[in-house]
């Protein structure tokens, strides 16, 4: 099942008893704050997990059809490590 911001804001609206407009604004502000926080440093949400970024190394890639080599530049990836309570809930 795919979760979208609309589905999340609808669930927030039902759970908190607020209008869909307010819940949509809440979700959008939360996502904006998370983007800013993750771009600056590791971000931990208690009982949910930790978001952190990691720089990949520059490496050589290869086209599988032509076997032509090319350089893949270094870039930043975002990782998520779930908390133990989330892991227990999933399993």
């Amino acid at each position: 099942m795919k979760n979208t911001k609309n589905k999340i804001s609808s669930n927030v609206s039902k759970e908190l008893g607020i209008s869909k407009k307010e819940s949509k604004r809440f979700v959008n502000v939360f996502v904006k704050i998370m983007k800013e926080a993750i771009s600056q440093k590791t971000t931990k949400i208690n009982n949910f997990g930790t978001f952190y970024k990691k720089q990949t190394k520059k490496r050589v890639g290869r086209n599988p059809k032509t076997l032509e080599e090319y350089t893949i530049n270094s870039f930043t990836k975002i990782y998520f490590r779930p908390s133990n309570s989330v892991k227990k809930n999933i399993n």
Side-chain angles (χ1 to χ4, degrees), residues 22-36:
E22 289 174 326
S23 65
K24 190 176 271 192
R25 185 170 177 261
F26 170 80
V27 170
N28 286 331
V29 168
F30 178 77
V31 169
K32 179 183 169 201
I33 290 169
M34 287 300 296
K35 283 181 184 178
E36 291 171 359

Side-chain angles (χ1 to χ4, degrees), residues 52-64:
Y52 61 99
K53 61 183 184 175
K54 206 174 197 182
Q55 193 72 24
T56 64
K57 294 180 181 177
K58 188 176 181 179
R59 60 191 171 95
V60 176
R62 189 172 296 114
N63 182 327

Side-chain angles (χ1 to χ4, degrees), residues 30-52:
F30 178 77
V31 169
K32 179 183 169 201
I33 290 169
M34 287 300 296
K35 283 181 184 178
E36 291 171 359
I38 292 168
S39 70
Q40 294 175 8
K41 58 184 174 183
T42 300
T43 303
K44 181 179 179 183
I45 301 175
N46 286 338
N47 295 322
F48 184 66
T50 304
F51 294 90
Y52 61 99

Side-chain angles (χ1 to χ4, degrees), residues 11-23:
N11 289 338
V12 168
S13 173
K14 289 176 190 173
E15 190 72 28
L16 298 179
I18 58 176
S19 72
K20 285 195 177 191
K21 186 177 180 180
E22 289 174 326
S23 65

